Amino acid sequence: MDERQAVAAFAALGQEHRFRVVRALVTAGPDGLAAGALATEVGVANTNLSFHLKELSHAGLITSRREGKSVIYSAAYAGLSDLIAFLMRDCCQGRPEVCAPAVAALSACDCPTGDTAHA
């Protein structure tokens, strides 16, 4: 991830409903959520949800797939991991204790280990 991509991701996350969408999808795990369930979960009208989903998708933070008549949205774990790695890349400057709390928080996570992205 480069600086331009990181700025786009942070800009997408800088809106309350989009931030809630990403958190809900991370919580839902690789199976994701159908659009209607996601709208209910984050308290956004279906008519507004698609705008937010488009922004998050363009930023590489979520993915979607069709299952029958439903569109299922999932967190793009690779994109989220890249964003975290971008932030942590220059961490520590030779002082590992500086990053220890962040590393401990991430290692305590039972996170999916690959991107379950679907185009």
Side-chain angles (χ1 to χ4, degrees):
M1 177 170 285
D2 61 25
E3 186 173 300
R4 180 190 56 76
Q5 293 167 316
V7 168
F10 282 117
L13 288 170
Q15 199 281 338
E16 179 182 4
H17 295 304
R18 292 193 290 264
F19 185 74
R20 287 181 185 166
V21 165
V22 171
R23 291 201 56 186
L25 292 175
V26 167
T27 301
D31 292 337
L33 291 170
L38 185 55
T40 300
E41 176 83 19
V42 299
V44 175
N46 285 337
T47 55
N48 293 332
L49 183 65
S50 63
F51 169 76
H52 296 301
L53 294 171
K54 179 182 65 109
E55 293 295 316
L56 291 167
S57 180
H58 285 285
L61 300 176
I62 68 168
T63 62
S64 64
R65 67 185 184 278
R66 186 163 287 283
E67 285 187 7
K69 293 182 180 183
S70 297
V71 176
I72 308 297
Y73 292 91
S74 301
Y77 292 102
L80 293 166
S81 295
D82 287 348
L83 184 58
I84 293 167
F86 177 84
L87 288 174
M88 301 298 290
R89 184 176 304 141
D90 299 322
C91 187
C92 305
Q93 299 294 316
R95 297 177 44 217
E97 70 278 4
V98 172
C99 294
V103 171
L106 288 172
S107 63
C109 174
D110 186 21
C111 300
T113 56
D115 188 16
T116 59
H118 295 75

